[in-house]
Amino acid sequence: MTENHDQETDFKTLEDPYAQREAEKYENPIPSRELILQLIQQAGKPLRRQQIAQQFGLESADALEALRRRLRAMERDGQLVFNSRQKYSLGDGHNTIAGRVLGHPDGFGFLKPDDGSDDLFLSPREMKPLMHNDRVTVRVSGIDRKGRREAAVVEIIERNTHQVVGRFFVEGRVACVVPDNKKIIHEVLIANEDIGNAKKGQIVVAEIVQQPTAHCQPIGRVTEVLGMHMAPGMEIEMAIRSYDLPNQWPDALLEEIKSLTPQVPEQAKQGREDIRHLPLVTIDGEDARDFDDAVYAQKTAKGWKLLVAIADVSHYVRVNTALDAEAQNRSTSVYFPEKVIPMLPEILSNGLCSLNPEVDRLCMVCEMLINEEGNVLRSRFFEAVMRSHARLTYTQVAKMLVEGDQKLAQKYAGLMPHLQNLYGLYKVMRHQRELRGAMDFDTQETRIVFGAGRKISEIVPVVRNDAHKLIEEFMITANTAAAKFLNRKKMPRLLRIHDGPGAEKLLALKTFLSELGLHLGGGAQPTPLDYMHLLESVKERKDAHLIQTILLRSMSQAVYSPDTKGHFGLALDAYAHFTSPIRRYPDLLVHRAIRHCLAGKKPAEFHYSHPDMVVLGEHCSAHERRADDATRDVVSWLKCEYMMDKIGEEFAGIISAVTGFGFFVELQSIYVEGLVHIASLHNDYFEFDAGRHQLYGERSGVRYRLGDLVRVKVVRVNLDDKKIDFELIASNKDTKKAGKNSASKSSRGKKSSDQPPAAKTKAKPRRRRKS
């Protein structure tokens, strides 16, 4: 009876949402895994293979064989269970997880789920058919010894690596490209007929013609030869291609902008407030080429009136144009040492949209009335035409206002009263910033100085003076006003959000602080003011730098989103990016929203909806990270090149990070970071204490802790991996027993690239872990 009943079951007709994907992958497509799972779930009971085939109308021998193989694969992957009655039911793994693959140089990887849940670990075996950035579905296959969820790949949904840039090698009859991006773990094989003009050791671009499988490496063909890897500027060319940074203007865009001239048309100035008489000035770095913002302050009876004028990029970059499509595609300008890939073409970025001195420019102005205590009483936005009265640098302004440089003050005598107004306003606003608890960490930025042949001559610290802080404070104030304005108007808008520390990071932070006898206020939800009170209480301590570093690392990363979550670091309830539309697409979106409001239009009439802003926020955040990663790669390469002739030299440094495989040291005099591998620390077992950010020697009691001063020798520089190895010479303290902060005397041993397999590690040669 049961058999007859099963055979007569009439299932509801189902449509396969993945039919197109299956058709692209297979000449004779069959129902997708998702549809098979949906069928069995809807039936509410196990089904035979024949029933599944009948429901989908599969009759040919080829189709039936393909279905058999798919069902067996789903059984193997845990999506289905084949029971003793020869029927298929849903398995524990039928709830698959979709996400993006993140490769790791050591051969394993992680899946970053689309639903925002915790990453899953992908073993080297699972990574064999995958490449960094692929999209896949996985099932949870277990928990590893570190407590991480392990994943088994169910299906590769989308391939996202279509070309690589790297070194070309030939060994006998085998040619390959070793990717520069170390997250791509595969060497790409090149057939003899696809080598082109490439020669051994050159940097090339290879197109992937066959993606990797569980048994085969990817296969490619050389499409471009960039040159030798030590050629000047090669590091930037490699980064552009490795990170797929758009750097060519589309023909449609070039056609669109060919009518633009360096001068603002008179017609464009009509209907705007004329503020050309106001002595607005730009204050930027010496090497700045585009000027987004100009400022002016006027003393009033009750405080100040501050004008922040921003280049009106939205007037030129209109929705649904080729110019807008490319700006969105790039999302941000990318700043390499001595080279910029701009978001907008030069006629706009350095011309019409740049607030150059003594020329008319269109701008969007944020006007704010501020009281004597530094609080913004009210603000308004308006479109205007302006004329910058001077292009000043941070150095010049600091010399005039802080150092009292009379020669410079005489040169800009007509502007000095206005500059003094700016400085007076800054000081009261600075006090208000401190009262609300906005973060102001004393971090060290550096600048690379090039000599002949684009070789680094020196790496120098960037000193932030009061002029830097003045402009920063005014930009933050204008950005805050923009966010409040758009929130008040209930507009779809993109905000800059920065969450407070997560529960896990907060627990680790409090554990670390308790070891030092310190306490962070605020309980489970500390405020920025709690952070700043703690920083203020420890600023005279010798380990203040260490504490500041740990506080910084407890913070989350700022992103773009339409959600009103506030900005933790700045201690603000609402914050947007408004002040840099030449180089950031989110700022352009904010300008468009403000312009929409100024035109008296309703939120529902805006070109963008809230869901649109969600997508754009994720897009811009991802491209911001891509730009940061590309820039970091270039700087690392340049620093390695700089250190190649310094092998054998000794330097003083500070431990900047501690891991299970050693500790990183930043050289104090030249701001370069390298690794002291645990394999070079002899005659002891070292235990990695993550909570205390230290390596602890079990026998000797020696400790190497974040923030300790050490002296190291440069022993190896690997330009391909962008890694520098140091050897410990001495620490800042004598060797002491457990419980006291110290460091051991130098021991010299042969280094290896082997990685320590566990946190508790004997100092002997092990495989090095790249991070």
Side-chain angles (χ1 to χ4, degrees):
M1 288 293 294
T2 305
E3 294 296 323
N4 292 335
H5 177 74
D6 286 345
Q7 290 172 1
E8 294 171 1
T9 301
D10 182 24
F11 299 115
K12 180 182 176 182
T13 301
L14 300 171
E15 291 186 6
D16 194 345
Y18 298 96
Q20 183 177 352
R21 183 189 75 198
E22 297 295 317
E24 290 173 354
K25 291 173 66 175
Y26 305 107
E27 186 175 349
N28 297 307
I30 61 171
S32 66
R33 291 187 182 215
E34 293 87 349
L35 188 63
I36 292 171
L37 293 171
Q38 187 181 348
L39 172 67
I40 297 174
Q41 191 166 23
Q42 182 175 308
K45 57 189 173 185
L47 300 177
R48 293 179 180 276
R49 185 170 78 242
Q50 294 86 342
Q51 291 174 297
I52 297 172
Q54 182 181 1
Q55 171 62 23
F56 295 127
L58 304 178
E59 297 178 352
S60 70
D62 289 343
L64 292 172
E65 175 61 17
L67 177 65
R68 185 190 69 81
R69 291 180 179 180
R70 172 152 290 178
L71 293 173
R72 290 297 301 273
M74 293 174 71
E75 179 188 351
R76 182 190 65 237
D77 292 335
Q79 290 181 288
L80 295 177
V81 173
F82 190 59
N83 63 27
S84 59
R85 300 180 64 189
Q86 298 186 327
K87 294 181 180 181
Y88 288 95
S89 60
L90 298 177
D92 292 337
H94 75 279
N95 291 321
T96 58
I97 301 170
R100 185 168 62 92
V101 174
L102 305 176
H104 189 281
D106 283 350
F108 56 84
F110 297 92
L111 180 88
K112 190 173 185 61
D114 293 339
D115 61 12
S117 58
D118 291 340
D119 293 355
L120 288 86
F121 179 75
L122 291 164
S123 68
R125 180 175 176 272
E126 294 293 332
M127 283 294 294
K128 280 185 178 180
L130 305 178
M131 297 189 80
H132 176 67
N133 258 341
D134 283 350
R135 282 187 45 74
V136 301
T137 56
V138 304
R139 64 179 176 86
V140 178
S141 61
I143 304 295
D144 71 4
R145 59 186 176 83
K146 294 184 177 180
R148 300 174 298 193
R149 293 186 299 169
E150 289 187 299
V153 176
V154 173
E155 189 165 10
I156 300 172
I157 303 172
E158 183 182 6
R159 294 288 193 176
N160 286 317
T161 299
H162 303 292
Q163 70 171 32
V164 299
V165 58
R167 295 277 297 277
F168 178 73
F169 291 99
V170 180
E171 296 293 339
R173 296 183 179 181
V174 179
C176 69
V177 174
V178 178
D180 177 66
N181 185 349
K182 299 309 174 186
K183 292 181 180 179
I184 299 175
I185 61 176
H186 301 282
E187 294 180 356
V188 180
L189 302 179
I190 310 292
N192 287 334
E193 61 269 23
D194 292 325
I195 289 174
N197 298 321
K199 294 180 175 58
K200 185 176 180 179
Q202 288 184 320
I203 302 298
V204 303
V205 180
E207 176 190 3
I208 305 296
V209 297
Q210 182 176 311
Q211 295 285 344
T213 69
H215 307 291
C216 300
Q217 292 174 258
I219 299 173
R221 65 182 182 89
V222 175
T223 58
E224 186 180 4
V225 177
L226 300 181
M228 298 307 296
H229 80 293
M230 291 289 287
M234 181 57 67
E235 69 286 348
I236 293 178
E237 294 299 319
M238 292 171 67
I240 288 172
R241 288 159 179 81
S242 289
Y243 290 93
D244 198 21
L245 298 173
N247 68 322
Q248 299 293 327
W249 301 113
D251 292 339
L253 179 150
L254 297 174
E255 181 67 23
E256 228 173 51
I257 66 172
K258 69 179 184 181
S259 62
L260 296 177
T261 63
Q263 292 79 34
V264 177
E266 286 301 317
Q267 185 180 0
K269 302 174 188 177
Q270 305 306 311
R272 293 172 173 264
E273 291 192 32
D274 190 343
I275 57 172
R276 285 176 285 190
H277 62 287
L278 293 179
L280 287 139
V281 297
T282 62
I283 305 174
D284 293 273
E286 281 79 0
D287 55 354
R289 295 177 60 196
D290 53 62
F291 310 112
D292 290 288
D293 55 86
V295 291
Y296 164 75
Q298 174 186 329
K299 196 76 175 69
T300 67
K302 296 182 180 180
W304 283 269
K305 179 167 73 173
L306 171 66
L307 267 66
V308 176
I310 306 298
D312 193 357
V313 176
S314 63
H315 173 82
Y316 299 100
V317 184
R318 299 299 177 100
V319 174
N320 293 331
T321 62
L323 185 57
D324 181 47
E326 184 62 16
Q328 181 180 322
N329 180 38
R330 298 187 178 207
S331 295
T332 180
S333 296
V334 185
Y335 292 88
F336 295 115
E338 291 198 334
K339 182 181 176 67
V340 179
I341 301 178
M343 186 180 80
L344 300 174
E346 190 170 353
I347 183 67
L348 292 170
S349 60
N350 295 345
L352 281 170
C353 293
S354 184
L355 306 182
N356 300 323
E358 304 303 334
V359 292
D360 290 355
R361 287 290 182 258
L362 306 182
C363 61
M364 182 76 76
V365 181
C366 177
E367 178 187 274
M368 292 161 282
L369 296 181
I370 302 169
N371 65 16
E372 296 283 359
E373 286 74 42
N375 295 306
V376 178
L377 301 177
R378 60 180 181 271
S379 62
R380 74 178 181 107
F381 291 85
F382 60 90
E383 297 169 303
V385 56
M386 63 160 285
R387 177 177 283 248
S388 171
H389 285 226
R391 180 271 199 261
L392 301 174
T393 68
Y394 295 123
T395 304
Q396 288 174 325
V397 173
K399 283 184 176 180
M400 287 186 280
L401 296 178
V402 182
E403 300 173 22
D405 189 311
Q406 293 302 312
K407 187 176 180 180
L408 264 179
Q410 185 62 36
K411 179 180 178 180
Y412 295 103
L415 293 174
M416 277 304 294
H418 306 292
L419 294 176
Q420 287 165 347
N421 279 342
L422 288 169
Y423 194 43
L425 173 58
Y426 157 71
K427 285 189 278 191
V428 298
M429 292 184 71
R430 178 75 183 182
H431 178 65
Q432 191 59 231
R433 173 192 178 106
E434 292 169 357
L435 289 178
R436 74 171 189 266
M439 305 281 180
D440 190 20
F441 290 108
D442 184 23
T443 56
Q444 182 64 71
E445 295 182 10
T446 59
R447 181 171 61 89
I448 293 175
V449 179
F450 291 95
R454 207 171 182 274
K455 300 295 182 183
I456 299 179
S457 60
E458 60 179 334
I459 301 172
V460 297
V462 175
V463 179
R464 285 182 73 244
N465 57 40
D466 275 7
H468 288 86
K469 297 174 183 178
L470 177 149
I471 291 299
E472 179 186 273
E473 195 61 43
F474 293 162
M475 296 306 109
I476 289 172
T477 307
N479 286 337
T480 306
K484 290 182 177 179
F485 175 79
L486 295 178
N487 283 352
R488 195 163 59 246
K489 297 291 185 179
K490 302 188 184 307
M491 284 291 294
R493 71 281 180 270
L494 206 54
L495 301 176
R496 184 68 165 175
I497 65 171
H498 183 220
D499 289 332
E504 188 175 331
K505 285 188 175 181
L506 185 60
L507 177 61
L509 172 63
K510 290 192 171 187
T511 301
F512 169 76
L513 293 174
S514 66
E515 295 290 332
L516 302 178
L518 299 172
H519 173 70
L520 176 67
Q525 292 184 316
T527 66
L529 196 58
D530 293 319
Y531 268 71
M532 297 316 293
H533 282 162
L534 178 60
L535 272 178
E536 184 67 23
S537 69
V538 302
K539 66 180 183 181
E540 300 301 325
R541 290 175 56 131
K542 292 182 179 179
D543 56 1
H545 176 77
L546 162 65
I547 296 167
Q548 174 181 283
T549 301
I550 302 303
L551 287 172
L552 265 173
R553 292 179 183 176
S554 72
M555 312 289 287
S556 60
Q557 186 176 33
V559 296
Y560 293 107
S561 169
D563 298 331
T564 308
K565 294 184 177 179
H567 196 292
F568 184 82
L570 294 174
L572 294 168
D573 294 330
Y575 191 67
H577 273 169
F578 161 75
T579 55
S580 295
I582 291 177
R583 62 184 179 89
R584 292 188 307 224
Y585 196 74
D587 302 55
L588 176 56
L589 293 173
V590 168
H591 276 239
R592 285 176 178 162
I594 292 172
R595 180 188 295 278
H596 185 86
C597 295
L598 296 181
K601 297 179 182 178
K602 297 178 180 178
E605 299 172 318
F606 193 38
H607 179 76
Y608 305 95
S609 65
H610 180 87
D612 291 333
M613 289 299 181
V614 171
V615 173
L616 285 166
E618 293 172 351
H619 172 82
C620 292
S621 297
H623 282 62
E624 178 187 43
R625 290 192 296 271
R626 179 181 70 172
D628 289 343
D629 289 343
T631 304
R632 193 178 300 113
D633 259 16
V634 167
V635 171
S636 296
W637 195 96
L638 289 169
K639 287 184 175 181
C640 284
E641 184 189 38
Y642 178 60
M643 295 299 291
M644 288 186 73
D645 63 355
K646 295 174 175 56
I647 293 175
E649 295 184 27
E650 296 182 9
F651 298 91
I654 187 169
I655 296 180
S656 56
V658 183
T659 72
F661 53 87
F663 53 84
F664 290 89
V665 176
E666 183 183 88
L667 306 184
Q668 290 184 304
S669 55
I670 55 179
Y671 309 99
V672 169
E673 191 176 68
L675 175 71
V676 174
H677 199 277
I678 201 166
S680 68
L681 306 174
H682 288 281
N683 305 321
D684 206 345
Y685 285 91
F686 283 87
E687 182 176 351
F688 173 48
D689 187 337
R692 295 180 176 87
H693 300 270
Q694 67 179 18
L695 285 175
Y696 166 63
E698 286 190 341
R699 183 186 60 79
S700 64
V702 170
R703 298 174 189 261
Y704 299 107
R705 192 175 70 157
L706 186 70
D708 281 353
L709 297 175
V710 294
R711 189 164 186 82
V712 296
K713 182 171 75 172
V714 183
V715 294
R716 185 179 296 106
V717 177
N718 187 326
L719 197 58
D720 289 332
D721 288 344
K722 306 179 187 72
K723 304 293 183 184
I724 302 171
D725 286 328
F726 295 148
E727 184 178 83
L728 185 68
I729 301 300
S731 69
N732 59 326
K733 299 177 182 180
D734 295 329
T735 302
K736 297 180 181 179
K737 294 297 180 182
K740 295 186 178 180
N741 198 21
S742 62
S744 70
K745 295 180 180 179
S746 168
S747 292
R748 305 188 184 192
K750 183 178 179 181
K751 286 186 179 288
S752 168
S753 61
D754 291 340
Q755 175 186 340
K760 187 178 288 188
T761 313
K762 184 175 180 179
K764 63 180 181 181
R766 302 181 187 272
R767 180 172 178 174
R768 174 173 173 172
R769 185 176 176 190
K770 300 171 185 176
S771 58

